[in-house]
Amino acid sequence: MPIGKIATFDEGSINGSIEYSTLLKSTKVSSENRELLYTFYAEKKPVKAYIVIITETRDLTTKWRLWLNNFSLTKEFKPIDTVRVGGSYYNLNIYDVTHLTREGKNEFVVSHSSIEGIWVHIINSVLFYEVPEFKTNYKLRAGIYLIQPSEEIELDGEGKNYVVVRNPNKSILRVVNSTGTVTTIGGSLDSDEIEVKGHLSIIHESSQRSPAFLFLHYSENSITPSISINVNGKIGKDNKAVITLYNDGEVDLDRVLLNVMLNGITIHFKSFNNMKIGQKINYEFFIPKKGNVHLRIVGVKSGFRKILDKDLEWETA
């Protein structure tokens, strides 16, 4: 018999895009560590925003205080779902924070000061942006579902699936889609996030009794204009790289992020704001030594991201 559940808390369609991010590190908040800060960024003022929290407590009389951008969100600990696991309770809280979320940097704080403390396993933010050129169908589900040893669960979703699971056991959670095994997860106190297209299954390969956890399943199917950035460049004998970025897509971009890696290690980062259709940017930077130079360029439009990878060649003549 299944223990726990994940349930839909929002479903529909928006002329726009959806952006989500998750703090995955399990953190104990107590008298010794009274506050946990989660920072997230909004490309612009969202038309709708949620915060989702999964906690672990010894009882249900816990007291805490939640803050968003220095505004007190609540002092009451009232989970909308709770599952008993051994001697602890796993709890789900979801808050609509549309009115408190602003463009740019947002700071969410969990405050608690008991000696026993509480564990915060994940904090997740979901931001909806209005973008006339985009159309997104979505379903957002959250909860505490215990994946028992040898159990296989199937998750249906249109387009892209975003899943957050936790497996603190010496066992394997195998994530599979139509192409085969996507990833395996196990042996960590922290949660893991997975992004995969189409139908997927999660299999708990274990001979132990302890369950793994499914916390989030978001699915979305987006119709978007083409986001395309043309990149040309070279590295001269003086170790100076000269590149040209050209927006040859169908939409203006909020930002273009440039990450330069030398032999797999980031050596330079640059952000360009408000790149219009047809705009060209010339940019120069220095490479400290010979090696493989790789560019990762990310075009951003209202939280939607398109990634382009390109190697830069060294000038030989």
Side-chain angles (χ1 to χ4, degrees):
M1 180 179 177
I3 300 176
K5 66 181 185 295
I6 57 169
T8 301
F9 66 90
D10 198 348
E11 180 178 11
S13 178
I14 181 176
N15 287 323
S17 63
I18 303 175
E19 181 180 26
Y20 29 80
S21 62
T22 307
L23 178 65
L24 299 165
K25 183 175 179 58
S26 292
T27 304
K28 188 175 184 180
V29 186
S30 66
S31 57
E32 295 183 357
N33 178 34
R34 293 172 178 262
E35 291 188 349
L36 172 61
L37 171 65
Y38 166 61
T39 301
F40 62 97
Y41 295 85
E43 297 293 338
K44 59 182 182 180
K45 173 66 178 176
V47 295
K48 184 161 55 174
Y50 294 107
I51 290 286
V52 181
I53 314 172
I54 301 287
T55 57
E56 181 183 351
T57 60
R58 283 293 179 183
D59 56 52
L60 298 178
T61 61
T62 297
K63 296 181 179 179
W64 67 358
R65 192 157 191 173
L66 305 181
W67 302 81
L68 179 55
N69 297 328
N70 294 317
F71 183 89
S72 179
L73 186 62
T74 185
K75 293 189 290 185
E76 296 181 313
F77 184 77
K78 289 186 176 181
I80 61 174
D81 192 23
T82 294
V83 176
R84 183 75 179 265
V85 183
S88 299
Y89 293 91
Y90 278 67
N91 314 288
L92 167 68
N93 289 80
I94 302 176
Y95 300 97
D96 184 332
V97 293
T98 306
H99 60 300
L100 296 176
T101 305
R102 61 197 180 197
E103 179 180 349
K105 184 178 180 180
N106 292 268
E107 294 186 332
F108 180 78
V109 175
V110 179
S111 178
H112 178 79
S113 59
S114 75
I115 296 175
E116 189 173 66
I118 63 173
W119 282 93
V120 179
H121 288 306
I122 69 165
I123 304 176
N124 168 261
S125 58
V126 188
L127 308 177
F128 293 72
Y129 301 111
E130 192 174 66
V131 191
E133 303 94 336
F134 286 39
K135 175 68 176 292
T136 303
N137 299 312
Y138 65 91
K139 179 186 283 189
L140 308 180
R141 299 199 294 162
I144 303 119
Y145 183 89
L146 276 56
I147 310 173
Q148 302 296 338
S150 301
E151 182 179 2
E152 178 178 352
I153 60 173
E154 296 187 357
L155 300 175
D156 289 318
E158 294 185 12
K160 184 177 71 173
N161 292 280
Y162 176 79
V163 176
V164 174
V165 296
R166 180 173 181 261
N167 183 19
N169 311 299
K170 294 180 179 179
S171 62
I172 292 174
L173 275 185
R174 186 176 302 277
V175 182
V176 179
N177 70 354
S178 59
T179 63
T181 298
V182 177
T183 188
T184 57
I185 294 165
S188 173
L189 294 177
D190 301 328
S191 297
D192 287 89
E193 59 185 355
I194 308 138
E195 290 193 62
V196 62
K197 291 184 177 180
H199 179 93
L200 72 147
S201 299
I202 302 176
I203 306 162
H204 190 188
E205 300 176 355
S206 175
S207 58
Q208 304 175 359
R209 293 184 177 181
S210 300
F213 301 86
L214 170 63
F215 292 145
L216 302 179
H217 176 215
Y218 298 164
S219 62
E220 64 172 275
N221 189 19
S222 298
I223 301 172
T224 66
S226 171
I227 294 178
S228 177
I229 304 169
N230 186 277
V231 185
N232 289 300
K234 62 181 180 179
I235 308 168
K237 292 182 178 180
D238 57 357
N239 285 32
K240 184 170 71 174
V242 180
I243 65 170
T244 300
L245 306 176
Y246 177 70
N247 181 2
D248 59 355
E250 300 173 345
V251 67
D252 296 339
L253 299 175
D254 299 328
R255 287 188 297 157
V256 174
L257 308 178
L258 170 66
N259 188 27
V260 182
M261 289 172 277
L262 176 63
N263 299 327
I265 298 173
T266 296
I267 60 168
H268 187 76
F269 178 83
K270 178 68 175 179
S271 177
F272 305 95
N273 294 326
N274 302 317
M275 191 175 188
K276 304 297 184 182
I277 298 174
Q279 183 178 348
K280 184 182 292 186
I281 296 175
N282 297 313
Y283 187 66
E284 300 178 359
F285 52 92
F286 182 73
I287 306 297
K289 63 180 181 179
K290 286 279 189 178
N292 176 258
V293 178
H294 181 80
L295 306 181
R296 170 156 286 187
I297 299 101
V298 183
V300 182
K301 178 65 175 180
S302 297
F304 186 87
R305 286 166 164 75
K306 178 67 177 290
I307 298 173
L308 171 70
D309 290 292
K310 183 180 178 64
D311 289 328
L312 274 189
E313 301 296 329
W314 289 82
E315 192 176 67
T316 55

